[in-house]
Amino acid sequence: MRPRHTRRRGTLTATAATLVAFCAVQTLSAAATASAAPDRTATPAAHSRSVTKAAVTSAQDRAARDIARSLGDSSWKARLRTATLKSAEVSVTDQASGALKTRLAAADRDIAEAKGLNAAKTGSLLQLRLGDASMRTSLSAGEEPWVAAAVSDDGLTTVTAYDSAGQAHVLDAKTPPSHPVYVVDVDGTKALAAGLDVMRQELVKAGVESAAPQTVTTTPSAAAAGFWTTKITAVHLNDDEEPWIKGKAEIYTLVSGFGQDGKVRVDPVDMPYLDNDGTVYRPNQILVNWSYYKYNLADAVMMEEDGSTNYRDLAKAIAGILLTIIDGGAYIPLVNAILDAIPDDWWTDDPDYVDSWYTLAQANKGTFYGARGNGYMTVEPYFVSQL
C-alpha cells in the first residue's frame, strides 16, 4: 500500500529539529532563505496534472471495460485466470491477441504519452492483478471475475467494476469484496524507470546536471582511489489504511545540491524495492555520490510514482526554479525550492510527495526521520573503491 500524503504546501519551513539533527552548522535563516521560491510567473507553464490524470484514468477504464467484455471467451478467461494466479502482476497487453490486443496497445500508447514517455521505448505499461489475496479462492474455483481500473485518489469511497456483459458494479473501496476482481493498473516499476531517464534527460537539456538513475561515476580528482557515498542500510515509511484497489508504491528520491561547477544538480535515485508502507527494507543502496558535489551537504526529496506523473513536465518545472538559484559560496538547502517548483494542481487529491531530508552530510551515520515524519532512513558513509 502507498504511504498517505496528507501534507500541505508551505509547511516544510518548520523543520528546525531535522536541520539540527543533520548538520549543526545549518541555521533556520538559511532554510528560510531557501524556502522563498522565486516568482512562479517566471517559470514555464507546466502541463496540468489533472490532464495527465484524466488521460491515464480514461485509458485504464477503457482497458478495464475491454478486458471485462473479453472474458466471455472461455478459453481466454481460463488463460488469464491461470496467469493471474501464477503471477502477482500480468502484462495483459502481451497476453492478449486479436482486437483486444489492438485496443490495449492503443491504451498503452495513450498512457505513455500522457506521462511524457516514449511509447516505443517503454513498451506495454498496462498490467493486471488480483485486487486482494482473499479473492484467490473464488477465482480458483472458477467464479468469473469483474474488472476495475486502479485509481489514485486517497479519498476514494467506491470502486466501479465491470462484468463480461458490460454491467457496472459499485464496490466499497475500503473493504475488498468476496467476488474476485481484476485490477487494471500501470506498471509502476517500468513507468518509473523510463520516467527517471526522461527526467534526467530533460534536466540536462534545461541546464541542470543530473546523473543517470542508479549509476555511479567519479570526478577526475576522485578517480585514482574511489569516492565517498552515503548508503541506505534501512528505510521505512509509515503505514495507513487505503483502498484495496491501490497497488504497491513505486518510490524514488531526488537528491540535490551544488555540483563541482557550482551549479545546482539533481540526481534521481530509483527505489524499486520500497513497495509497502509499514515495512523495514534493508537495501544497502547508494543514495548520494559525494564526488558529484561541491559542498559536504545535499538534500533528498522522496516522491512516489503514480498514474498522474508526467516526468517531462516535472523536470521542466523543477529546472525552471533551480536555475534561478546561484551558488553564493555557502550551501543552500534545496528541498523547498524543489517542492515549490511542482505545479499547484499536483498538490490535490493524491500528491506524489512522500517525505524529505534536509542537509545530509557525508559523515552522517544513524537513523534520520524525514521532515514530514512520514518515515525514516538509516544511513552510513560508504567508500567505493576503484577496481
Side-chain angles (χ1 to χ4, degrees), residues 102-166:
T102 300
R103 290 194 293 270
L104 294 182
D108 272 321
R109 289 192 295 272
D110 289 344
I111 291 171
E113 181 179 350
K115 294 176 70 61
L117 306 176
N118 185 320
K121 292 182 178 180
T122 306
S124 175
L125 289 173
L126 285 172
Q127 64 179 17
L128 197 74
R129 55 181 168 79
L130 196 58
D132 191 79
S134 62
M135 302 172 182
R136 292 183 63 86
T137 300
S138 56
L139 181 65
S140 299
E143 189 168 358
E144 183 175 296
W146 298 333
V147 186
V151 292
S152 59
D153 291 350
D154 284 335
L156 192 72
T157 58
T158 61
V159 174
T160 300
Y162 306 99
D163 60 27
S164 59

Side-chain angles (χ1 to χ4, degrees), residues 248-278:
K248 65 184 183 180
E250 298 292 347
I251 303 295
Y252 62 101
T253 296
L254 301 179
V255 178
S256 62
F258 288 91
Q260 296 288 349
D261 59 0
K263 298 178 181 179
V264 171
R265 66 175 296 127
V266 177
D267 298 309
V269 178
D270 192 358
M271 308 176 87
Y273 52 87
L274 225 173
D275 293 337
N276 300 300
D277 54 15

Side-chain angles (χ1 to χ4, degrees), residues 2-285:
R2 294 179 172 91
R4 187 174 297 279
H5 309 147
T6 56
R7 58 87 201 86
R8 297 180 180 177
R9 297 192 68 207
T11 61
L12 291 179
T13 54
T15 56
T18 305
L19 290 171
V20 172
F22 277 124
C23 183
V25 300
Q26 296 303 301
T27 65
L28 290 175
S29 60
T33 299
S35 65
D39 183 356
R40 293 179 65 89
T41 60
T43 63
H47 187 77
S48 172
R49 174 185 169 91
S50 60
V51 172
T52 300
K53 182 176 182 179
V56 172
T57 300
S58 175
Q60 289 182 183
D61 189 69
R62 294 199 317 270
R65 292 172 184 265
D66 288 337
I67 294 170
R69 286 193 293 267
S70 75
L71 296 179
D73 181 330
S74 58
S75 176
W76 161 246
K77 179 173 64 177
R79 292 204 313 274
L80 196 57
R81 178 176 64 241
T82 299
T84 306
L85 290 172
K86 183 181 298 184
S87 175
E89 297 165 346
V90 176
S91 180
V92 66
T93 305
D94 295 335
Q95 292 280 337
S97 60
L100 176 61
K101 188 180 188 72
T102 300
R103 290 194 293 270
L104 294 182
D108 272 321
R109 289 192 295 272
D110 289 344
I111 291 171
E113 181 179 350
K115 294 176 70 61
L117 306 176
N118 185 320
K121 292 182 178 180
T122 306
S124 175
L125 289 173
L126 285 172
Q127 64 179 17
L128 197 74
R129 55 181 168 79
L130 196 58
D132 191 79
S134 62
M135 302 172 182
R136 292 183 63 86
T137 300
S138 56
L139 181 65
S140 299
E143 189 168 358
E144 183 175 296
W146 298 333
V147 186
V151 292
S152 59
D153 291 350
D154 284 335
L156 192 72
T157 58
T158 61
V159 174
T160 300
Y162 306 99
D163 60 27
S164 59
Q167 182 177 351
H169 302 266
V170 179
L171 310 174
D172 183 274
K174 297 297 182 183
T175 304
S178 57
H179 193 97
V181 178
Y182 288 154
V183 177
V184 179
D185 205 350
V186 172
D187 185 334
T189 300
K190 184 184 289 186
L192 179 56
L196 293 185
D197 281 335
V198 168
M199 179 179 290
R200 182 191 63 81
Q201 293 165 12
E202 290 296 327
L203 286 169
V204 171
K205 187 186 300 182
V208 177
E209 285 302 311
S210 179
Q214 302 286 11
T215 62
V216 176
T217 60
T218 66
T219 60
S221 62
F227 54 93
W228 281 100
T229 69
T230 290
K231 181 174 70 172
I232 304 172
T233 58
V235 59
H236 172 277
L237 298 178
N238 295 338
D239 58 345
D240 65 279
E241 298 179 3
E242 288 195 342
W244 54 270
I245 199 169
K246 298 180 77 170
K248 65 184 183 180
E250 298 292 347
I251 303 295
Y252 62 101
T253 296
L254 301 179
V255 178
S256 62
F258 288 91
Q260 296 288 349
D261 59 0
K263 298 178 181 179
V264 171
R265 66 175 296 127
V266 177
D267 298 309
V269 178
D270 192 358
M271 308 176 87
Y273 52 87
L274 225 173
D275 293 337
N276 300 300
D277 54 15
T279 303
V280 177
Y281 294 91
R282 303 184 185 280
N284 286 320
Q285 180 186 26

